[in-house]
Short mmCIF file of all heavy atoms in Angstrom, two decimals:
data_model
loop_
_atom_site.label_atom_id
_atom_site.label_comp_id
_atom_site.label_asym_id
_atom_site.label_seq_id
_atom_site.Cartn_x
_atom_site.Cartn_y
_atom_site.Cartn_z
N MET A 3 6.57 17.55 10.04
CA MET A 3 6.35 16.14 10.18
C MET A 3 7.28 15.64 11.27
O MET A 3 8.43 15.96 11.33
CB MET A 3 6.69 15.45 8.84
CG MET A 3 6.36 13.98 8.86
SD MET A 3 6.64 13.17 7.24
CE MET A 3 5.22 13.70 6.36
N HIS A 4 6.75 14.82 12.12
CA HIS A 4 7.51 14.24 13.23
C HIS A 4 8.50 13.20 12.69
O HIS A 4 8.28 12.56 11.66
CB HIS A 4 6.53 13.56 14.19
CG HIS A 4 7.13 13.13 15.45
ND1 HIS A 4 7.69 11.93 15.67
CD2 HIS A 4 7.26 13.81 16.65
CE1 HIS A 4 8.17 11.82 16.86
NE2 HIS A 4 7.94 12.97 17.50
N ARG A 5 9.62 13.05 13.35
CA ARG A 5 10.67 12.15 12.90
C ARG A 5 10.20 10.71 12.71
O ARG A 5 10.54 10.04 11.77
CB ARG A 5 11.84 12.20 13.88
CG ARG A 5 12.98 11.28 13.42
CD ARG A 5 14.19 11.34 14.32
NE ARG A 5 15.17 10.41 13.78
CZ ARG A 5 16.33 10.26 14.33
NH1 ARG A 5 16.70 10.95 15.32
NH2 ARG A 5 17.15 9.37 13.78
N SER A 6 9.34 10.20 13.64
CA SER A 6 8.86 8.83 13.53
C SER A 6 8.01 8.68 12.28
O SER A 6 7.97 7.60 11.66
CB SER A 6 8.08 8.44 14.76
OG SER A 6 6.91 9.22 14.87
N GLU A 7 7.34 9.76 11.85
CA GLU A 7 6.54 9.68 10.63
C GLU A 7 7.48 9.58 9.40
O GLU A 7 7.16 8.90 8.44
CB GLU A 7 5.66 10.91 10.47
CG GLU A 7 4.53 10.95 11.48
CD GLU A 7 3.71 12.15 11.30
OE1 GLU A 7 2.88 12.18 10.34
OE2 GLU A 7 3.83 13.10 12.11
N LEU A 8 8.60 10.32 9.42
CA LEU A 8 9.54 10.24 8.32
C LEU A 8 10.10 8.84 8.12
O LEU A 8 10.32 8.42 7.00
CB LEU A 8 10.67 11.19 8.56
CG LEU A 8 10.40 12.67 8.46
CD1 LEU A 8 11.61 13.52 8.88
CD2 LEU A 8 10.02 13.04 7.04
N GLU A 9 10.24 8.09 9.20
CA GLU A 9 10.79 6.76 9.12
C GLU A 9 9.79 5.75 8.52
O GLU A 9 10.14 4.69 8.12
CB GLU A 9 11.23 6.30 10.50
CG GLU A 9 12.36 7.12 11.05
CD GLU A 9 12.69 6.81 12.48
OE1 GLU A 9 11.91 6.15 13.15
OE2 GLU A 9 13.73 7.30 12.94
N ARG A 10 8.50 6.13 8.47
CA ARG A 10 7.47 5.23 8.00
C ARG A 10 7.06 5.52 6.57
O ARG A 10 6.06 5.03 6.08
CB ARG A 10 6.26 5.32 8.90
CG ARG A 10 6.50 4.85 10.29
CD ARG A 10 5.33 4.82 11.16
NE ARG A 10 4.19 5.59 10.65
CZ ARG A 10 3.26 6.13 11.35
NH1 ARG A 10 3.30 5.97 12.67
NH2 ARG A 10 2.26 6.77 10.81
N VAL A 11 7.78 6.35 5.84
CA VAL A 11 7.45 6.67 4.46
C VAL A 11 8.01 5.57 3.57
O VAL A 11 9.18 5.22 3.69
CB VAL A 11 7.96 8.05 4.06
CG1 VAL A 11 7.74 8.30 2.58
CG2 VAL A 11 7.32 9.13 4.91
N ALA A 12 7.18 5.08 2.69
CA ALA A 12 7.59 4.03 1.75
C ALA A 12 7.30 4.54 0.34
O ALA A 12 6.72 5.60 0.18
CB ALA A 12 6.80 2.76 2.02
N THR A 13 7.69 3.77 -0.65
CA THR A 13 7.46 4.12 -2.07
C THR A 13 6.62 3.08 -2.71
O THR A 13 6.90 1.88 -2.59
CB THR A 13 8.83 4.23 -2.75
OG1 THR A 13 9.62 5.23 -2.13
CG2 THR A 13 8.61 4.63 -4.23
N CYS A 14 5.58 3.48 -3.37
CA CYS A 14 4.75 2.57 -4.14
C CYS A 14 5.60 1.90 -5.21
O CYS A 14 6.29 2.54 -5.99
CB CYS A 14 3.57 3.31 -4.80
SG CYS A 14 2.53 2.30 -5.88
N VAL A 15 5.59 0.56 -5.19
CA VAL A 15 6.44 -0.18 -6.12
C VAL A 15 5.94 -0.13 -7.56
O VAL A 15 6.68 -0.43 -8.49
CB VAL A 15 6.62 -1.68 -5.68
CG1 VAL A 15 7.31 -1.75 -4.37
CG2 VAL A 15 5.29 -2.38 -5.65
N ALA A 16 4.72 0.35 -7.77
CA ALA A 16 4.17 0.42 -9.13
C ALA A 16 4.41 1.78 -9.78
O ALA A 16 4.77 1.85 -10.95
CB ALA A 16 2.68 0.08 -9.13
N CYS A 17 4.17 2.87 -9.04
CA CYS A 17 4.26 4.19 -9.63
C CYS A 17 5.33 5.11 -9.05
O CYS A 17 5.66 6.16 -9.59
CB CYS A 17 2.92 4.89 -9.52
SG CYS A 17 2.48 5.43 -7.85
N GLY A 18 5.93 4.72 -7.89
CA GLY A 18 6.98 5.51 -7.30
C GLY A 18 6.52 6.60 -6.39
O GLY A 18 7.30 7.35 -5.83
N ARG A 19 5.21 6.71 -6.18
CA ARG A 19 4.62 7.73 -5.33
C ARG A 19 4.97 7.44 -3.84
O ARG A 19 5.01 6.28 -3.42
CB ARG A 19 3.13 7.73 -5.47
CG ARG A 19 2.40 8.80 -4.70
CD ARG A 19 0.86 8.75 -4.99
NE ARG A 19 0.65 9.20 -6.36
CZ ARG A 19 -0.11 8.54 -7.25
NH1 ARG A 19 -0.70 7.41 -6.94
NH2 ARG A 19 -0.29 9.01 -8.47
N SER A 20 5.24 8.50 -3.05
CA SER A 20 5.51 8.30 -1.61
C SER A 20 4.22 7.94 -0.90
O SER A 20 3.20 8.48 -1.16
CB SER A 20 6.06 9.59 -1.03
OG SER A 20 7.33 9.88 -1.51
N VAL A 21 4.34 6.95 -0.03
CA VAL A 21 3.22 6.46 0.76
C VAL A 21 3.62 6.43 2.21
O VAL A 21 4.66 5.84 2.55
CB VAL A 21 2.82 5.04 0.30
CG1 VAL A 21 1.67 4.51 1.12
CG2 VAL A 21 2.50 5.00 -1.17
N THR A 22 2.84 7.08 3.05
CA THR A 22 3.11 7.00 4.51
C THR A 22 2.43 5.78 5.06
O THR A 22 1.21 5.67 5.00
CB THR A 22 2.56 8.27 5.21
OG1 THR A 22 3.21 9.41 4.61
CG2 THR A 22 2.94 8.25 6.69
N GLU A 23 3.21 4.82 5.51
CA GLU A 23 2.69 3.57 6.04
C GLU A 23 1.78 3.85 7.26
O GLU A 23 2.05 4.66 8.08
CB GLU A 23 3.79 2.64 6.44
CG GLU A 23 4.64 2.21 5.23
CD GLU A 23 5.77 1.34 5.60
OE1 GLU A 23 6.66 1.84 6.30
OE2 GLU A 23 5.77 0.18 5.21
N GLY A 24 0.66 3.16 7.28
CA GLY A 24 -0.28 3.31 8.40
C GLY A 24 -1.27 4.47 8.22
O GLY A 24 -2.12 4.67 9.00
N VAL A 25 -1.09 5.25 7.14
CA VAL A 25 -1.97 6.35 6.84
C VAL A 25 -2.64 6.11 5.52
O VAL A 25 -1.99 5.72 4.59
CB VAL A 25 -1.20 7.71 6.79
CG1 VAL A 25 -2.08 8.85 6.46
CG2 VAL A 25 -0.46 7.94 8.11
N GLY A 26 -3.92 6.32 5.43
CA GLY A 26 -4.63 6.08 4.20
C GLY A 26 -4.86 4.58 4.05
O GLY A 26 -4.90 3.84 4.99
N ARG A 27 -5.01 4.22 2.79
CA ARG A 27 -5.41 2.83 2.51
C ARG A 27 -4.38 2.16 1.63
O ARG A 27 -4.72 1.51 0.60
CB ARG A 27 -6.77 2.76 1.83
CG ARG A 27 -7.91 3.36 2.67
CD ARG A 27 -8.18 2.57 3.88
NE ARG A 27 -9.40 2.89 4.53
CZ ARG A 27 -9.53 3.83 5.46
NH1 ARG A 27 -8.53 4.56 5.82
NH2 ARG A 27 -10.70 4.08 6.05
N ALA A 28 -3.13 2.26 1.89
CA ALA A 28 -2.06 1.62 1.13
C ALA A 28 -2.20 0.12 1.33
O ALA A 28 -2.68 -0.38 2.32
CB ALA A 28 -0.69 2.10 1.52
N TYR A 29 -1.71 -0.64 0.32
CA TYR A 29 -1.70 -2.11 0.39
C TYR A 29 -0.30 -2.55 0.65
O TYR A 29 0.61 -2.37 -0.18
CB TYR A 29 -2.25 -2.70 -0.91
CG TYR A 29 -2.26 -4.22 -0.88
CD1 TYR A 29 -3.26 -4.92 -0.21
CD2 TYR A 29 -1.30 -4.95 -1.56
CE1 TYR A 29 -3.27 -6.28 -0.18
CE2 TYR A 29 -1.28 -6.33 -1.52
CZ TYR A 29 -2.27 -6.99 -0.85
OH TYR A 29 -2.27 -8.37 -0.81
N ASP A 30 -0.05 -3.13 1.82
CA ASP A 30 1.28 -3.64 2.20
C ASP A 30 1.37 -5.12 1.87
O ASP A 30 0.42 -5.86 2.11
CB ASP A 30 1.56 -3.48 3.70
CG ASP A 30 1.53 -2.03 4.16
OD1 ASP A 30 1.99 -1.19 3.40
OD2 ASP A 30 0.98 -1.77 5.24
N PHE A 31 2.51 -5.53 1.30
CA PHE A 31 2.70 -6.98 1.04
C PHE A 31 4.15 -7.35 1.12
O PHE A 31 5.04 -6.51 1.02
CB PHE A 31 2.13 -7.34 -0.35
CG PHE A 31 2.81 -6.63 -1.50
CD1 PHE A 31 3.82 -7.26 -2.19
CD2 PHE A 31 2.43 -5.36 -1.85
CE1 PHE A 31 4.44 -6.62 -3.25
CE2 PHE A 31 3.03 -4.70 -2.90
CZ PHE A 31 4.07 -5.33 -3.62
N GLY A 32 4.41 -8.64 1.30
CA GLY A 32 5.83 -9.10 1.45
C GLY A 32 6.47 -8.41 2.60
O GLY A 32 5.86 -7.93 3.53
N SER A 33 7.79 -8.39 2.56
CA SER A 33 8.53 -7.72 3.64
C SER A 33 8.66 -6.24 3.50
O SER A 33 8.70 -5.51 4.46
CB SER A 33 9.93 -8.35 3.77
OG SER A 33 10.63 -8.17 2.61
N ASP A 34 8.64 -5.72 2.27
CA ASP A 34 8.80 -4.29 2.02
C ASP A 34 7.89 -3.69 0.98
O ASP A 34 7.98 -2.54 0.67
CB ASP A 34 10.25 -3.99 1.64
CG ASP A 34 11.23 -4.28 2.74
OD1 ASP A 34 10.92 -3.96 3.88
OD2 ASP A 34 12.32 -4.79 2.45
N GLY A 35 7.03 -4.51 0.38
CA GLY A 35 6.20 -3.99 -0.73
C GLY A 35 5.03 -3.16 -0.27
O GLY A 35 4.36 -3.48 0.73
N VAL A 36 4.78 -2.10 -1.01
CA VAL A 36 3.65 -1.17 -0.75
C VAL A 36 3.10 -0.73 -2.08
O VAL A 36 3.84 -0.36 -2.96
CB VAL A 36 4.10 0.03 0.10
CG1 VAL A 36 2.93 0.99 0.29
CG2 VAL A 36 4.66 -0.40 1.45
N LEU A 37 1.80 -0.71 -2.18
CA LEU A 37 1.11 -0.11 -3.29
C LEU A 37 0.26 1.03 -2.77
O LEU A 37 -0.41 0.90 -1.75
CB LEU A 37 0.15 -1.08 -3.98
CG LEU A 37 0.76 -2.18 -4.86
CD1 LEU A 37 -0.34 -3.10 -5.34
CD2 LEU A 37 1.50 -1.60 -6.02
N CYS A 38 0.32 2.17 -3.45
CA CYS A 38 -0.55 3.30 -3.09
C CYS A 38 -2.00 2.89 -3.37
O CYS A 38 -2.26 1.91 -4.10
CB CYS A 38 -0.15 4.59 -3.80
SG CYS A 38 -0.49 4.58 -5.58
N TRP A 39 -2.95 3.64 -2.83
CA TRP A 39 -4.38 3.35 -3.05
C TRP A 39 -4.70 3.27 -4.50
O TRP A 39 -5.36 2.28 -4.96
CB TRP A 39 -5.21 4.48 -2.37
CG TRP A 39 -6.65 4.42 -2.73
CD1 TRP A 39 -7.28 5.13 -3.70
CD2 TRP A 39 -7.68 3.63 -2.09
NE1 TRP A 39 -8.61 4.83 -3.71
CE2 TRP A 39 -8.86 3.94 -2.76
CE3 TRP A 39 -7.63 2.69 -1.07
CZ2 TRP A 39 -10.05 3.31 -2.38
CZ3 TRP A 39 -8.84 2.07 -0.74
CH2 TRP A 39 -10.01 2.37 -1.38
N LYS A 40 -4.31 4.23 -5.34
CA LYS A 40 -4.65 4.24 -6.73
C LYS A 40 -4.14 3.01 -7.46
O LYS A 40 -4.84 2.41 -8.25
CB LYS A 40 -4.09 5.51 -7.43
CG LYS A 40 -4.94 6.71 -7.23
CD LYS A 40 -4.33 7.86 -8.06
CE LYS A 40 -5.35 8.95 -8.18
NZ LYS A 40 -4.90 10.01 -9.10
N CYS A 41 -2.92 2.64 -7.21
CA CYS A 41 -2.33 1.48 -7.89
C CYS A 41 -2.97 0.18 -7.43
O CYS A 41 -3.22 -0.71 -8.21
CB CYS A 41 -0.81 1.45 -7.66
SG CYS A 41 0.05 2.75 -8.62
N ALA A 42 -3.26 0.09 -6.14
CA ALA A 42 -3.89 -1.10 -5.60
C ALA A 42 -5.30 -1.29 -6.23
O ALA A 42 -5.65 -2.45 -6.63
CB ALA A 42 -4.00 -1.05 -4.08
N VAL A 43 -6.05 -0.27 -6.34
CA VAL A 43 -7.38 -0.36 -6.97
C VAL A 43 -7.26 -0.65 -8.45
O VAL A 43 -7.98 -1.49 -8.98
CB VAL A 43 -8.18 0.90 -6.68
CG1 VAL A 43 -9.50 0.93 -7.49
CG2 VAL A 43 -8.52 1.06 -5.18
N ALA A 44 -6.35 0.03 -9.13
CA ALA A 44 -6.14 -0.19 -10.54
C ALA A 44 -5.74 -1.62 -10.84
O ALA A 44 -5.99 -2.15 -11.91
CB ALA A 44 -5.12 0.79 -11.09
N ARG A 45 -5.09 -2.29 -9.89
CA ARG A 45 -4.63 -3.65 -10.05
C ARG A 45 -5.68 -4.65 -9.55
O ARG A 45 -5.40 -5.82 -9.34
CB ARG A 45 -3.33 -3.88 -9.34
CG ARG A 45 -2.17 -3.15 -9.99
CD ARG A 45 -0.93 -3.21 -9.17
NE ARG A 45 0.23 -2.96 -10.05
CZ ARG A 45 0.85 -3.87 -10.74
NH1 ARG A 45 0.49 -5.12 -10.67
NH2 ARG A 45 1.84 -3.56 -11.50
N GLY A 46 -6.90 -4.22 -9.34
CA GLY A 46 -8.01 -5.12 -8.98
C GLY A 46 -8.29 -5.23 -7.51
O GLY A 46 -9.14 -6.04 -7.11
N GLY A 47 -7.61 -4.52 -6.67
CA GLY A 47 -7.85 -4.58 -5.23
C GLY A 47 -9.20 -3.93 -4.87
O GLY A 47 -9.67 -2.99 -5.54
N SER A 48 -9.79 -4.45 -3.80
CA SER A 48 -11.08 -3.96 -3.33
C SER A 48 -10.99 -3.75 -1.83
O SER A 48 -10.69 -4.71 -1.09
CB SER A 48 -12.20 -4.93 -3.70
OG SER A 48 -13.40 -4.44 -3.20
N TYR A 49 -11.27 -2.55 -1.39
CA TYR A 49 -11.20 -2.22 0.04
C TYR A 49 -12.60 -2.05 0.62
O TYR A 49 -13.43 -1.39 0.06
CB TYR A 49 -10.40 -0.90 0.22
CG TYR A 49 -10.02 -0.65 1.61
CD1 TYR A 49 -8.85 -1.19 2.15
CD2 TYR A 49 -10.79 0.13 2.45
CE1 TYR A 49 -8.47 -0.96 3.47
CE2 TYR A 49 -10.42 0.37 3.77
CZ TYR A 49 -9.25 -0.18 4.27
OH TYR A 49 -8.89 0.06 5.56
N ASP A 50 -12.82 -2.67 1.78
CA ASP A 50 -14.13 -2.57 2.46
C ASP A 50 -13.99 -1.57 3.59
O ASP A 50 -13.29 -1.83 4.55
CB ASP A 50 -14.55 -3.96 2.98
CG ASP A 50 -15.93 -3.91 3.61
OD1 ASP A 50 -16.13 -3.21 4.60
OD2 ASP A 50 -16.80 -4.62 3.09
N GLU A 51 -14.65 -0.43 3.44
CA GLU A 51 -14.59 0.64 4.45
C GLU A 51 -15.15 0.15 5.81
O GLU A 51 -14.58 0.47 6.87
CB GLU A 51 -15.36 1.85 3.99
CG GLU A 51 -14.76 2.55 2.83
CD GLU A 51 -13.54 3.35 3.13
OE1 GLU A 51 -13.34 3.75 4.31
OE2 GLU A 51 -12.71 3.57 2.23
N GLY A 52 -16.24 -0.58 5.76
CA GLY A 52 -16.84 -1.06 7.02
C GLY A 52 -15.97 -1.99 7.81
O GLY A 52 -15.93 -1.97 9.04
N GLN A 53 -15.25 -2.84 7.09
CA GLN A 53 -14.32 -3.80 7.74
C GLN A 53 -12.94 -3.23 7.91
O GLN A 53 -12.07 -3.83 8.59
CB GLN A 53 -14.24 -5.10 6.96
CG GLN A 53 -15.55 -5.86 6.90
CD GLN A 53 -15.41 -7.15 6.14
OE1 GLN A 53 -14.32 -7.69 6.01
NE2 GLN A 53 -16.49 -7.65 5.58
N ASP A 54 -12.67 -2.06 7.26
CA ASP A 54 -11.38 -1.41 7.32
C ASP A 54 -10.23 -2.41 6.92
O ASP A 54 -9.24 -2.49 7.60
CB ASP A 54 -11.13 -0.82 8.68
CG ASP A 54 -9.94 0.18 8.68
OD1 ASP A 54 -9.69 0.80 7.63
OD2 ASP A 54 -9.31 0.33 9.73
N ARG A 55 -10.45 -3.05 5.78
CA ARG A 55 -9.41 -3.99 5.27
C ARG A 55 -9.62 -4.25 3.78
O ARG A 55 -10.69 -4.02 3.24
CB ARG A 55 -9.42 -5.29 6.06
CG ARG A 55 -10.65 -6.15 5.79
CD ARG A 55 -10.62 -7.44 6.57
NE ARG A 55 -11.73 -8.29 6.18
CZ ARG A 55 -11.68 -9.23 5.25
NH1 ARG A 55 -10.59 -9.45 4.60
NH2 ARG A 55 -12.75 -9.97 4.98
N TRP A 56 -8.53 -4.71 3.17
CA TRP A 56 -8.62 -5.11 1.75
C TRP A 56 -9.30 -6.48 1.72
O TRP A 56 -8.82 -7.45 2.34
CB TRP A 56 -7.19 -5.21 1.16
CG TRP A 56 -6.61 -3.88 0.99
CD1 TRP A 56 -5.78 -3.22 1.85
CD2 TRP A 56 -6.75 -2.99 -0.13
NE1 TRP A 56 -5.40 -2.01 1.35
CE2 TRP A 56 -5.99 -1.83 0.11
CE3 TRP A 56 -7.47 -3.08 -1.33
CZ2 TRP A 56 -5.97 -0.77 -0.75
CZ3 TRP A 56 -7.44 -2.00 -2.19
CH2 TRP A 56 -6.68 -0.87 -1.90
N VAL A 57 -10.42 -6.59 0.99
CA VAL A 57 -11.13 -7.87 0.89
C VAL A 57 -10.75 -8.60 -0.38
O VAL A 57 -10.95 -9.82 -0.48
CB VAL A 57 -12.65 -7.68 0.96
CG1 VAL A 57 -13.06 -7.22 2.37
CG2 VAL A 57 -13.16 -6.68 -0.07
N GLU A 58 -10.25 -7.86 -1.35
CA GLU A 58 -9.71 -8.46 -2.59
C GLU A 58 -8.35 -7.91 -2.80
O GLU A 58 -8.16 -6.69 -2.96
CB GLU A 58 -10.61 -8.13 -3.78
CG GLU A 58 -10.24 -8.74 -5.09
CD GLU A 58 -10.56 -10.24 -5.13
OE1 GLU A 58 -11.51 -10.65 -4.51
OE2 GLU A 58 -9.80 -10.97 -5.80
N ALA A 59 -7.34 -8.77 -2.80
CA ALA A 59 -5.95 -8.30 -2.96
C ALA A 59 -5.71 -7.87 -4.42
O ALA A 59 -6.18 -8.52 -5.36
CB ALA A 59 -5.00 -9.42 -2.60
N PRO A 60 -4.93 -6.82 -4.60
CA PRO A 60 -4.55 -6.46 -5.97
C PRO A 60 -3.54 -7.43 -6.55
O PRO A 60 -2.88 -8.15 -5.82
CB PRO A 60 -3.89 -5.07 -5.75
CG PRO A 60 -3.49 -5.02 -4.37
CD PRO A 60 -4.40 -5.92 -3.59
N ARG A 61 -3.46 -7.43 -7.87
CA ARG A 61 -2.49 -8.31 -8.54
C ARG A 61 -1.08 -7.74 -8.28
O ARG A 61 -0.81 -6.57 -8.51
CB ARG A 61 -2.73 -8.33 -10.04
CG ARG A 61 -3.96 -9.03 -10.48
CD ARG A 61 -4.17 -9.04 -11.99
NE ARG A 61 -3.62 -7.90 -12.72
CZ ARG A 61 -4.15 -6.67 -12.79
NH1 ARG A 61 -5.20 -6.39 -12.10
NH2 ARG A 61 -3.59 -5.73 -13.52
N ILE A 62 -0.16 -8.58 -7.82
CA ILE A 62 1.21 -8.14 -7.59
C ILE A 62 2.23 -9.06 -8.22
O ILE A 62 3.43 -8.85 -8.08
CB ILE A 62 1.50 -8.01 -6.01
CG1 ILE A 62 1.25 -9.35 -5.32
CG2 ILE A 62 0.65 -6.91 -5.42
CD1 ILE A 62 1.70 -9.39 -3.91
N ASP A 63 1.75 -10.08 -8.93
CA ASP A 63 2.67 -11.12 -9.46
C ASP A 63 3.67 -10.57 -10.47
O ASP A 63 4.73 -11.15 -10.61
CB ASP A 63 1.86 -12.24 -10.11
CG ASP A 63 0.92 -11.77 -11.18
OD1 ASP A 63 0.39 -10.64 -11.10
OD2 ASP A 63 0.66 -12.55 -12.09
N ASP A 64 3.43 -9.45 -11.08
CA ASP A 64 4.36 -8.88 -12.04
C ASP A 64 5.36 -7.86 -11.46
O ASP A 64 6.18 -7.34 -12.17
CB ASP A 64 3.61 -8.25 -13.22
CG ASP A 64 2.76 -7.07 -12.78
OD1 ASP A 64 2.22 -7.10 -11.65
OD2 ASP A 64 2.62 -6.13 -13.56
N LEU A 65 5.18 -7.59 -10.20
CA LEU A 65 6.06 -6.60 -9.53
C LEU A 65 7.34 -7.24 -9.04
O LEU A 65 7.35 -8.36 -8.55
CB LEU A 65 5.32 -5.95 -8.36
CG LEU A 65 4.08 -5.17 -8.74
CD1 LEU A 65 3.36 -4.70 -7.50
CD2 LEU A 65 4.39 -4.03 -9.68
N ASP A 66 8.44 -6.49 -9.19
CA ASP A 66 9.76 -6.98 -8.81
C ASP A 66 10.03 -6.63 -7.32
O ASP A 66 10.67 -5.64 -7.05
CB ASP A 66 10.81 -6.38 -9.71
CG ASP A 66 12.19 -6.95 -9.43
OD1 ASP A 66 12.29 -8.08 -8.91
OD2 ASP A 66 13.17 -6.27 -9.79
N VAL A 67 9.47 -7.43 -6.44
CA VAL A 67 9.65 -7.21 -5.01
C VAL A 67 9.94 -8.51 -4.31
O VAL A 67 9.25 -9.53 -4.52
CB VAL A 67 8.35 -6.58 -4.40
CG1 VAL A 67 8.50 -6.41 -2.88
CG2 VAL A 67 8.05 -5.25 -5.03
N GLU A 68 10.90 -8.51 -3.44
CA GLU A 68 11.23 -9.72 -2.68
C GLU A 68 10.30 -9.78 -1.45
O GLU A 68 9.87 -8.80 -0.96
CB GLU A 68 12.70 -9.65 -2.19
CG GLU A 68 13.69 -9.77 -3.31
CD GLU A 68 15.09 -9.79 -2.78
OE1 GLU A 68 15.32 -10.17 -1.62
OE2 GLU A 68 16.00 -9.38 -3.53
N GLY A 69 10.09 -11.01 -0.98
CA GLY A 69 9.34 -11.21 0.23
C GLY A 69 7.99 -11.66 -0.04
O GLY A 69 7.08 -11.72 0.66
#
């Protein structure tokens, strides 16, 4: 793994799984919050492949994240 890729690894605030920012379909929120794909979908998020964006945001109100 390239060093710049190591600097972009985040942790899903719901399950603790490592998430590489900018890769896959993670849901970024606030200043540092990230949900992995599984947690974002489980929390009601909906991703549109054609638009390449989250069209329905997952519930994050119960997560302890600043920003």
Side-chain angles (χ1 to χ4, degrees):
M3 185 177 284
H4 191 269
R5 182 177 177 177
S6 64
E7 291 180 77
L8 289 173
E9 296 171 350
R10 296 184 345 206
V11 174
T13 301
C14 175
V15 297
C17 71
R19 184 177 290 130
S20 292
V21 178
T22 303
E23 295 176 295
V25 177
R27 303 292 193 270
Y29 180 78
D30 299 322
F31 62 96
S33 59
D34 294 320
V36 176
L37 286 175
C38 69
W39 169 264
K40 279 186 164 186
C41 288
V43 171
R45 290 172 159 274
S48 177
Y49 193 85
D50 184 298
E51 293 286 335
Q53 295 181 25
D54 194 28
R55 69 179 186 93
W56 289 94
V57 293
E58 183 74 30
R61 291 180 331 284
I62 59 171
D63 57 328
D64 63 326
L65 299 174
D66 186 23
V67 176
E68 292 183 26

